[in-house]
Amino acid sequence: QVQLVESGGGVVRPGGSLRLSCAASGFTFSVYGMHWVRQAPGKGLEWVAVLGHDGGSEYYGDSVKGRFTISRDNSKKTLYLQLNSLRAEDTAVYFCVRDKDSGYLDYWGQGALVTVSS
Amino acid sequence: EIVLTQSPATLSLSPGERATLSCRASQSVGSYLAWYQQKPGQAPRLLIYGASNRATGIPARFSGSGSGTDFTLTISSLEPEDFAVYYCQQRGDWPSVTFGPGTKVDIK
């Protein structure tokens, strides 16, 4: 069965950095695009970034553009999100999500909590 | 950026009743719209994609309709496990993706 397991969340100070990882199993990771979606406490869903199956195409939401970087290692079946210049408003659960078909999100991990606080 | 609005914000219904949730886009997204269900403490689950196609394993009581700017998610007869928050999501201006603010379906 498809599994996506995020790790790397934690507490970080404003201006700091963090790297999230997402380990994939149960499907051929290298043929699927992958997304990160976040959810601030008690709030709705916000799309963060998407990366093509071969790592060749990456796109970001306006609120994270220039600060976050999505990447992947298909040999390790792992997706990453590098979070730099973190702000309090980046506090959220970050979900790793498989792209079913150019923008439909069919399998979600359980999420990793990132808290930005001094 | 395409903005999605959902109504109502909260829908209070009893088990067995019909639920009708609305999603409106600020400009046409064709049929490129999906619906997700999220329960407390859980990740969202894909219900409907392409406006009207049920995802794998989704019961037939869930149906989606609409195109252009106006979309509807209908739950024909609410089961106890259907009380949750529902989000619509567009990929009409792919690779940008946006979500609506959500509709909470709670028990009356």
Side-chain angles (χ1 to χ4, degrees), chain A residues 31-113:
Chain A
V31 304
Y32 286 89
M34 297 293 296
H35 299 254
W36 288 98
V37 174
R38 69 183 181 182
Q39 187 169 37
K43 303 298 184 183
L45 302 170
E46 181 187 11
W47 176 73
V48 172
V50 61
L51 184 62
H53 68 95
D54 59 358
S57 302
E58 57 188 280
Y59 301 94
Y60 299 90
D62 289 342
S63 63
V64 307
K65 205 172 295 183
R67 300 188 298 123
F68 292 7
T69 303
I70 188 172
S71 62
R72 65 193 296 160
D73 185 335
N74 284 344
S75 68
K76 295 183 178 178
K77 300 181 183 179
T78 302
L79 179 73
Y80 302 100
L81 186 68
Q82 178 68 40
L83 297 74
N84 295 334
S85 302
L86 282 161
R87 307 165 180 166
E89 55 265 36
D90 295 318
T91 293
V93 173
Y94 286 74
F95 294 102
C96 166
V97 195
R98 191 179 82 168
D99 185 287
K100 168 184 167 57
D101 179 19
S102 296
Y104 298 130
L105 312 179
D106 65 347
Y107 284 95
W108 298 61
Q110 283 305 301
L113 177 62

